[in-house]
């Protein structure tokens, strides 16, 4: 039975987190107002809970649920089993955080009256956005 580790993240926005999870291959995500239990790879109920959950059936055959618990400071903590951290470790969380930042930025720019006119992704993963103010 894998132990779940709780990792501090810079993720703060639920909608942006869900969009970022879709960007990295997890489009089927549960969002709850009250934290719900996570399950282990055998379907066993764990004591860990989360508000945003990717259920194990979407993660991999022998995987556990992946969760994100909304903390009092406004950030999400990632709740990932030690077994699943080989695939969902620091590099994966960095990609997820970058996609979260992209979605937060795009939403805020739209709120401020901008329209995304062009977007390119550099070889190093840097996203360049050309914006136009909507008139």
């Amino acid at each position: 039975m894998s132990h779940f580790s709780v990792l501090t993240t810079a993720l703060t926005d639920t909608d942006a987190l869900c969009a970022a999870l879709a960007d990295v291959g997890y489009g089927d995500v549960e969002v709850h107002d009250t934290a719900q239990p996570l399950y282990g790879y055998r379907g066993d109920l764990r004591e860990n809970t989360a508000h945003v959950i990717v259920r194990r059936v979407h993660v991999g055959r022998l995987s556990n649920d992946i969760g994100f618990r909304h903390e009092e400071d406004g950030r999400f903590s990632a709740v990932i089993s030690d077994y699943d951290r080989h695939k969902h470790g620091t590099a994966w969380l960095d990609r997820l955080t970058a996609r979260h930042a992209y979605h937060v930025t795009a939403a805020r720019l739209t709120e401020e009256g901008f329209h995304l006119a062009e977007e390119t992704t550099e070889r190093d993963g840097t996203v360049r956005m050309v914006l136009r103010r909507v008139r």
Side-chain angles (χ1 to χ4, degrees):
M1 178 161 47
S2 284
H3 169 75
F4 279 85
S5 295
V6 179
L7 309 164
T8 302
T9 74
L11 308 170
T12 57
D13 184 274
T14 303
D15 292 337
L17 173 56
C18 292
L21 284 165
D23 290 347
V24 298
Y26 297 115
D28 196 347
V29 176
E30 296 177 14
V31 178
H32 304 277
D33 291 331
T34 304
Q36 299 297 306
L38 298 178
Y39 291 88
Y41 72 97
R42 293 182 184 158
D44 51 313
L45 185 67
R46 300 298 181 88
E47 64 184 45
N48 304 86
T49 61
H51 295 90
V52 177
I53 302 171
V54 179
R55 292 294 179 193
R56 63 192 179 90
V57 297
H58 305 293
V59 179
R61 193 171 136 266
L62 294 175
S63 294
N64 303 277
D65 290 347
I66 294 175
F68 296 88
R69 187 175 61 225
H70 204 228
E71 303 294 350
E72 288 182 19
D73 67 0
R75 293 183 295 171
F76 283 94
S77 291
V79 185
I80 303 172
S81 75
D82 291 344
Y83 172 82
D84 292 312
R85 287 197 50 208
H86 73 277
K87 181 178 176 185
H88 300 91
T90 304
W92 181 80
L93 278 173
D94 288 347
R95 278 194 320 278
L96 185 67
T97 300
R99 294 308 302 166
H100 172 272
Y102 169 87
H103 289 290
V104 167
T105 301
R108 294 225 173 102
L109 290 169
T110 299
E111 288 171 6
E112 293 179 19
F114 289 92
H115 166 73
L116 180 63
E118 183 181 330
E119 176 182 320
T120 57
T121 303
E122 304 293 328
R123 293 178 104 181
D124 67 355
T126 301
V127 176
R128 300 206 183 276
M129 303 165 84
V130 176
L131 303 163
R132 302 247 190 307
R133 184 169 296 275
V134 178
R135 296 184 191 255

